[in-house]
Amino acid sequence: MIFSRTRQVTDCFRLCHKFTQVRKLSTTTKLRQGRYGWHRALASHSNTGLALPTLPNVLPHRSLQTSNQSLSDVELTAVRYGVERGNYSELTDADVKFFQDMMPSRVITDEDDLAGNNRDWLRMCRGSSKLLLKPKTTEEVSKILSYCNDRNLAVVPQGGNTGLVGGSVPVFDEIIISTALMNNIISLDELSGVLTCQAGCVLENLDQYAEDRGFMMPLDLGAKGSCHIGGNVSTNAGGIRLVRYGSLHGSVLGLEAVLADGTVVDCLSPIRKDNTGYDLKQLFIGAEGTLGMVTAVSILCPRRPKSVNVAFLGCNSFDDVLATFRNAKEMLEEVLSAFEFLDNTCMMMLKNYLKMTNPLSADYPFYVLVETSGSNATHDEEKLNAFLETTMATESVVDGTVATDITKIKTIWSLRESIAEALMHDGTVYKYDVSLPTDKIYSLVEAMQTHLGDDVKNVVGYGHLADGNLHLNMTSPSHSSELLAKIEPYVYEWVSKHHGSISAEHGLGFKKRNYIHYSKSDAAVKLMLQMKKMMDPKGILNPYKTLPDSDM
Ligand code: FAD
Ligand code: MLT
Ligand code: ZN
């Protein structure tokens, strides 16, 4: 015990010593340019046994209250986007009575109570559902869907309602089926790390549960305090650690889903290898509730790392960001767990609207967040130090701070995780989530700045650089159809021309479905439409979402 403690302190000294050297280098180099600021956010005496940080909770509707747009301002989706209602039945008193008899007190019809469920997080879409159902079991979901299918009533599955493409809210009067009460954890196998739970478990709660047993969820995102695992699976959410743990197409081992007619498809396998027939679960991952309602999930949880370091770095150009990434891949590969970037306009918004502080001593055109996670603190720190020394020496990084202490780690992460919220204070947000060859990522932001000029308030870029995933956001004082027409399809054409994807991780939902052709071939889209027709012949499951308008 004493030995171990001594070793930790010694390691810490070595780390501090190294940083002193880097700092001197930085000071000498940068004083000439009037810029210096290499420092440790906090000297921790031990970071062994450090838990992975829990990122800040997102209260999905907090910005609704703080923004310059009031709740009632959200225009109805049908009006704003000129959509025609599908040929579905209208809800009757008899329908409501059927559900009330089936699940008393879990049938919501009050307009005010429904308001938050009718409107999306971005306040771009609003439906007018008159009914919200809160099943607790798969059997109840099955009965609900079977009834709706017979009656030709359209439905929209809803998890935490943090989706960013208008997929989680009704367009017209679809019945909202919420997973809010389907929140039981079924098991966590402490040998294999396989966690099995109902679809309505909040991601952060699952991560906490896993942490208590030495594991972690393989995905993490800013909305973790609100989003449900069923929503994550249905959007194939990416998030900040995809570079390390891969996509849900790999970590979801099994799932259970209910089809439009109420059939329960049990593919809830907890095993890793299973080559028996088609891998049906993959169909539901990223299907945004259009092929079935996910009711339970089995997911492979990695061991929680014992050592975590986060560096927040300032760069003078996007080329320097890319050079830093190249170095990170080369020097940190096996411990790299996140590599994120943001531009200075994002930083300005964080400071102005959320009163957050730039941990660096000056502003820079770009910032990079690098996280390492591993099992040996000394090893990880040595690697991180070597990486930092190289990036400083080559001047791809001109300033930085390193955190090994949990509080400081959280503070740094919260900068990155709060950008979406900060943007909401700047006005109406036009949000694009694209994949591009990594070296092209920021060229799109610049192209949009040139293309839009003064028509737009701000154009910002940030995102999961390690995955080639750019979050391009434009803001304007209020919603403008003219501006939207200038952004789209221009942005999609640009992405397609540069061999990217028009949706990297948020899905197509309501807002992007008619642009699917920019990323998928005609044959692929046709097959998707055929699959939809086969699995949901009446089209009751989340209509107007994911797939383009079609005469099929
Ligand atoms: P919802 O928003 O409720 O629904 C999303 C879609 O899934 C809808 O189409 C809905 O119909 C469908 N759905 C929901 N539950 C089910 C179910 N049980 N069965 C079938 N269909 C269902 N996304 C990322 O990928 N990466 C990020 O880093 C990221 N960060 C975010 C940060 C913030 C601050 C916010 C607000 C959002 C962020 N998102 C991110 C987007 C969003 O959080 C994710 O898409 C998330 O996975 C949605 O989960 P949810 O439970 O809120 O789903
Ligand atoms: C993020 O990475 O912050 C999320 O995907 C949300 C966003 O795109 O704004
Ligand atoms: Zn993201």
Side-chain angles (χ1 to χ4, degrees):
M1 192 67 186
I2 292 169
F3 173 72
S4 149
R5 178 85 194 135
T6 315
R7 205 183 66 193
Q8 283 166 11
V9 172
T10 313
D11 288 343
C12 180
F13 267 116
R14 199 162 63 221
L15 183 72
C16 294
H17 176 63
K18 282 203 165 193
F19 268 93
T20 312
Q21 288 177 340
V22 177
R23 180 178 184 158
K24 275 186 192 144
L25 177 73
S26 165
T27 310
T28 325
T29 323
K30 293 294 143 202
L31 270 181
R32 264 180 276 131
Q33 296 166 23
R35 273 190 174 169
Y36 136 78
W38 193 266
H39 53 95
R40 281 174 68 85
L42 193 96
S44 157
H45 285 281
S46 163
N47 67 353
T48 47
L50 186 70
L52 204 77
T54 302
L55 299 176
N57 282 3
V58 170
L59 304 173
H61 301 293
R62 192 168 90 189
S63 50
L64 292 173
Q65 286 142 23
T66 51
S67 152
N68 54 2
Q69 251 187 326
S70 77
L71 299 184
S72 55
D73 282 340
V74 185
E75 203 173 3
L76 285 171
T77 306
V79 176
R80 175 171 287 182
Y81 298 95
V83 195
E84 239 179 74
R85 188 179 181 281
N87 193 19
Y88 301 104
S89 305
E90 306 254 356
L91 190 74
T92 63
D93 289 346
D95 297 326
V96 175
K97 182 166 182 320
F98 172 84
F99 294 120
Q100 273 164 345
D101 289 347
M102 187 180 125
M103 31 193 264
S105 80
R106 289 181 283 127
V107 175
I108 317 296
T109 52
D110 181 86
E111 203 179 323
D112 292 339
D113 292 344
L114 276 164
N117 303 82
N118 263 317
R119 179 197 318 114
D120 76 335
W121 192 88
L122 279 174
R123 289 171 299 118
M124 291 290 258
C125 296
R126 185 161 69 91
S128 45
S129 178
K130 296 185 169 38
L131 183 64
L132 166 69
L133 302 175
K134 293 187 175 180
K136 283 185 173 173
T137 63
T138 303
E139 291 66 38
E140 286 178 349
V141 173
S142 170
K143 278 187 191 157
I144 291 168
L145 286 178
S146 166
Y147 181 88
C148 290
N149 197 47
D150 288 348
R151 280 272 299 118
N152 195 29
L153 289 163
V155 304
V156 50
Q158 191 175 84
N161 196 13
T162 66
L164 299 172
V165 286
S168 53
V169 289
V171 174
F172 292 92
D173 54 349
E174 298 90 279
I175 295 171
I176 303 169
I177 310 179
S178 165
T179 50
L181 300 181
M182 300 184 70
N183 53 8
N184 288 320
I185 296 174
I186 299 164
S187 62
L188 173 57
D189 181 328
E190 297 199 17
L191 187 59
S192 64
V194 177
L195 177 126
T196 304
C197 65
Q198 282 189 298
C201 292
V202 171
L203 179 61
E204 186 169 53
N205 296 344
L206 291 177
D207 194 54
Q208 186 61 58
Y209 183 87
E211 179 177 5
D212 293 345
R213 287 150 187 85
F215 292 91
M216 63 180 282
M217 292 300 283
L219 80 157
D220 195 351
L221 49 147
K224 78 187 292 185
S226 305
C227 60
H228 297 183
I229 190 70
N232 300 146
V233 168
S234 301
T235 53
N236 186 24
I240 54 181
R241 295 205 175 84
L242 188 136
V243 60
R244 176 66 164 271
Y245 301 109
S247 109
L248 289 173
H249 280 293
S251 49
V252 170
L253 300 185
L255 57 73
E256 178 190 71
V258 182
L259 303 183
D261 67 358
T263 304
V264 178
V265 180
D266 181 355
C267 294
L268 200 56
S269 166
I271 52 176
R272 219 167 163 180
K273 298 184 79 173
D274 177 13
N275 277 355
T276 50
Y278 303 139
D279 190 359
L280 292 176
K281 67 168 185 288
Q282 300 295 353
L283 277 182
F284 300 96
I285 302 174
E288 301 180 277
T290 57
L291 296 180
M293 178 134 179
V294 176
T295 44
V297 177
S298 277
I299 188 161
L300 187 62
C301 297
R303 276 267 157 203
R304 210 165 189 92
K306 293 196 171 71
S307 131
V308 178
N309 296 296
V310 169
F312 191 74
L313 312 170
C315 298
N316 275 331
S317 69
F318 193 70
D319 279 346
D320 287 342
V321 171
L322 292 176
T324 308
F325 178 54
R326 221 168 280 125
N327 276 318
K329 290 283 283 177
E330 198 180 309
M331 303 181 73
L332 300 173
E333 180 78 2
E334 80 278 12
V335 287
L336 188 66
S337 52
F339 193 104
E340 301 279 318
F341 91 101
L342 52 138
D343 64 18
N344 197 38
T345 316
C346 294
M347 181 60 84
M348 291 303 132
M349 289 192 194
L350 292 166
K351 291 207 271 193
N352 293 342
Y353 296 126
L354 303 183
K355 307 294 166 218
M356 298 180 91
T357 308
N358 181 352
L360 306 186
S361 53
D363 291 332
Y364 297 94
F366 294 95
Y367 304 89
V368 160
L369 190 161
V370 186
E371 185 188 79
T372 64
S373 311
S375 57
N376 182 327
T378 311
H379 167 264
D380 297 357
E381 284 165 3
E382 276 172 3
K383 290 196 79 127
L384 184 64
N385 284 345
F387 157 76
L388 294 172
E389 280 176 17
T390 302
T391 53
M392 289 292 288
T394 53
E395 297 195 17
S396 55
V397 166
V398 286
D399 195 356
T401 180
V402 176
T404 54
D405 170 85
I406 188 90
T407 312
K408 293 291 174 186
I409 288 177
K410 277 190 190 177
T411 305
I412 290 177
W413 265 117
S414 75
L415 280 165
R416 167 61 187 87
E417 292 293 312
S418 301
I419 300 170
E421 184 186 348
L423 278 160
M424 295 288 283
H425 294 259
D426 204 46
T428 296
V429 182
Y430 306 81
K431 192 174 273 296
Y432 298 87
D433 155 51
V434 303
S435 278
L436 284 166
T438 312
D439 61 332
K440 293 282 179 323
I441 280 187
Y442 208 72
S443 309
L444 175 57
V445 179
E446 289 161 349
M448 293 311 288
Q449 277 159 348
T450 307
H451 177 65
L452 298 172
D454 291 340
D455 292 346
V456 76
K457 199 169 163 193
N458 278 298
V459 182
V460 307
Y462 58 98
H464 315 289
L465 189 119
D467 311 322
N469 184 178
L470 169 74
H471 293 316
L472 163 75
N473 288 239
M474 273 77 63
T475 56
S476 70
S478 56
H479 180 78
S480 157
S481 304
E482 293 75 36
L483 178 57
L484 189 59
K486 205 165 172 189
I487 298 173
E488 299 177 7
Y490 181 92
V491 65
Y492 300 126
E493 281 164 3
W494 199 100
V495 169
S496 180
K497 200 170 101 193
H498 292 87
H499 313 290
S501 166
I502 66 153
S503 175
E505 59 172 12
H506 295 165
L508 295 168
F510 168 75
K511 289 201 272 183
K512 299 177 181 177
R513 71 202 169 106
N514 281 321
Y515 299 102
I516 190 171
H517 288 284
Y518 285 98
S519 289
K520 289 286 183 298
S521 67
D522 287 352
V525 174
K526 191 173 170 206
L527 186 58
M528 290 186 208
L529 287 163
Q530 285 168 342
M531 281 162 57
K532 169 75 175 171
K533 193 87 189 155
M534 191 262 293
M535 293 175 72
D536 178 17
K538 294 184 175 176
I540 63 156
L541 283 171
N542 219 2
Y544 328 103
K545 313 286 171 61
T546 310
L547 296 174
D549 292 325
S550 138
D551 295 333
M552 262 190 66

